[in-house]
């Protein structure tokens, strides 16, 4: 499905990362991959993953810095010349923003960081990649239901994801004339590093499974397969779209089997 495509993957922190599920599926489907990693500290986790998938291009890129982004893309340009796809799997808010009452805990600085790292970085990477993007290239990001519905503790990240989804539509409108598609996957909750510090995450997963039509949560492999499809030419008619990979959770208002009545 992705033969002869060169795809950049961001956001692998360890084997549990959604970006790792995406890398595995894209690799299985024939893509040649490059990994952008946040900092050197993560290298020892990423190297074995890269080796297993035969990925030779590992480049440091901290999306909070324009210089870091510029350096990373000049390295990719030298190595590859062109790029057929980019996966943005990056989200961050300071921990103090993600626990407690929204009105009380949200600060100007927390808001700024969450939007900078979780939404603007998608625009920034698209901008940096544009000179080497091939015709029919595809960009993809990862979002969450908290963008359109409130839930406890997700707080300012919900606002940042709403911005990221609008970002997806505006990038799609901007890059469509070049044949470039831009989409997002809204994934159900998965126990990754970004979820590990979250209070009551396990009980959230149970509640999700109860309400989801499939009666379970989703895996990074399932998200990865949809990512591979969206970045392939099979999805040539899809852009600006948010595709839910959540076992149907967002389509269901109540669990189907009453517990007590
Ligand atoms: P993860 O912790 O494995 O991945 C988050 C990644 O963001 C890490 O690799 C980290 O290095 C990277 N990152 C953070 N700040 C960065 C910076 N300044 N520069 C470069 N990289 C930076 O967790 P994950 O759950 O795989 O998250 C990936 C994406 O999926 C995020 O956008 C997240 O919001 C989204 N998402 C997660 C879930 C879930 O339940 N896990 C559900 C829906 C969407
Ligand atoms: O988007 C996310 C993860 C967001 C996230 C998580 C962290 C934890 C560690 C962003 N920044 C940080 N910063 C840290 O320091 N998800 C969709 C997973 C997630 O996170 C939640 C959730 C869900 C689901 C936080 C609160 C409530 C639900």
């Amino acid at each position: 499905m992705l033969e002869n495509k060169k795809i950049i993957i961001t956001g692998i922190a360890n084997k549990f990362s959604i970006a790792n599920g995406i890398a595995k599926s894209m690799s299985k489907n024939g893509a040649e991959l490059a990994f952008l990693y946040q900092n050197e500290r993560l290298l020892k986790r990423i190297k074995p993953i890269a080796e297993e998938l035969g990925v030779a291009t590992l480049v440091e890129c901290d999306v909070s810095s324009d210089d870091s982004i510029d350096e990373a893309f000049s390295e990719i340009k030298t190595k590859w010349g062109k790029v057929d796809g980019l996966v943005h799997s990056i989200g961050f808010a300071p921990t103090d923003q993600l626990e407690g009452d929204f009105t009380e805990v949200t600060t100007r600085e927390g808001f700024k960081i969450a939007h900078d790292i979780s939404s603007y970085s998608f625009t920034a990477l698209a901008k940096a990649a544009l000179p080497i993007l091939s015709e029919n290239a595809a960009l993809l990001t990862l979002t969450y239901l908290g963008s359109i519905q409130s839930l406890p503790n997700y707080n300012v990240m919900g606002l940042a994801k709403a911005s990221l989804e609008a970002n997806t539509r505006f990038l799609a409108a901007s890059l469509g004339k070049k044949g470039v598609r831009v989409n997002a996957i809204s994934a159900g909750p998965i126990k990754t590093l970004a979820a590990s510090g979250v209070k009551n995450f396990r009980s959230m997963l149970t509640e999700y499974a109860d309400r989801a039509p499939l009666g379970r949560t989703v895996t990074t492999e399932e998200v990865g397969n949809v990512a591979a499809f969206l970045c392939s030419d099979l999805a040539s008619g899809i852009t600006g779209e948010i595709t839910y990979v959540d076992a149907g959770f967002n389509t269901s208002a109540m669990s189907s089997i009453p517990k007590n009545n």
Side-chain angles (χ1 to χ4, degrees), residues 18 90-99 114 118 142-146 151-155 157 161 187-190 192-199 201 204-205 208:
I18 292 175
I90 294 169
F92 180 80
T95 29
D96 64 322
Q97 300 294 292
L98 296 174
E99 196 182 321
S118 310
L142 274 298
T143 183
Y144 178 63
L145 187 63
L151 71 154
N153 301 324
Y154 200 62
N155 295 350
M157 272 305 295
K161 290 303 193 189
I190 300 174
T192 60
L193 185 64
S196 65
V198 176
K199 219 176 149 192
F201 198 77
M204 255 189 57
L205 291 179
Y208 238 79

Side-chain angles (χ1 to χ4, degrees), residues 186-254:
S186 186
I190 300 174
K191 188 130 183 66
T192 60
L193 185 64
S196 65
V198 176
K199 219 176 149 192
N200 299 322
F201 198 77
R202 278 171 61 99
S203 54
M204 255 189 57
L205 291 179
T206 312
E207 198 181 318
Y208 238 79
D210 278 350
R211 205 176 103 183
L214 292 181
R216 60 176 178 82
T217 54
V218 293
T219 64
T220 59
E221 284 77 13
E222 290 178 308
V223 175
N225 287 336
V226 177
F229 161 69
L230 286 172
C231 290
S232 80
D233 297 336
L234 289 177
S236 57
I238 304 179
T239 194
E241 199 69 58
I242 316 295
T243 301
Y244 283 78
V245 182
D246 67 347
F249 181 89
N250 80 96
T251 69
S252 161
M254 222 176 274

Side-chain angles (χ1 to χ4, degrees), residues 10-14 16-20 36-39 42 61-65 88-92 117-118 141-145 154 157 161 164 185-195 201 205 220:
T10 67
I12 303 180
N14 57 37
F16 302 109
S17 295
I18 292 175
N20 184 41
L36 299 193
Y37 59 93
Q38 184 182 0
N39 56 48
L42 297 173
C61 179
D62 183 334
V63 298
S64 66
S65 151
H88 172 272
S89 186
I90 294 169
F92 180 80
I117 305 302
S118 310
T141 188
L142 274 298
T143 183
Y144 178 63
L145 187 63
Y154 200 62
M157 272 305 295
K161 290 303 193 189
L164 179 66
I185 289 176
S186 186
I190 300 174
K191 188 130 183 66
T192 60
L193 185 64
F201 198 77
L205 291 179
T220 59

Side-chain angles (χ1 to χ4, degrees), residues 29-108:
N29 283 287
E32 184 182 345
L33 303 177
F35 292 168
L36 299 193
Y37 59 93
Q38 184 182 0
N39 56 48
E40 239 184 83
R41 212 164 32 79
L42 297 173
L43 250 190
K44 68 172 188 293
R45 290 278 149 70
I46 296 164
K47 266 188 179 156
I49 295 170
E51 258 165 49
E52 202 181 309
L53 299 179
V55 173
T57 311
L58 295 177
V59 183
E60 186 173 319
C61 179
D62 183 334
V63 298
S64 66
S65 151
D66 288 334
D67 288 345
S68 178
I69 293 173
D70 288 345
E71 280 171 38
F73 278 85
S74 83
E75 196 172 330
I76 296 281
K77 188 180 175 175
T78 309
K79 275 211 163 141
W80 275 4
K82 63 136 201 174
V83 171
D84 304 293
L86 182 141
V87 176
H88 172 272
S89 186
I90 294 169
F92 180 80
T95 29
D96 64 322
Q97 300 294 292
L98 296 174
E99 196 182 321
D101 181 82
F102 172 70
T103 316
E104 283 167 21
V105 304
T106 307
T107 62
R108 192 186 295 275

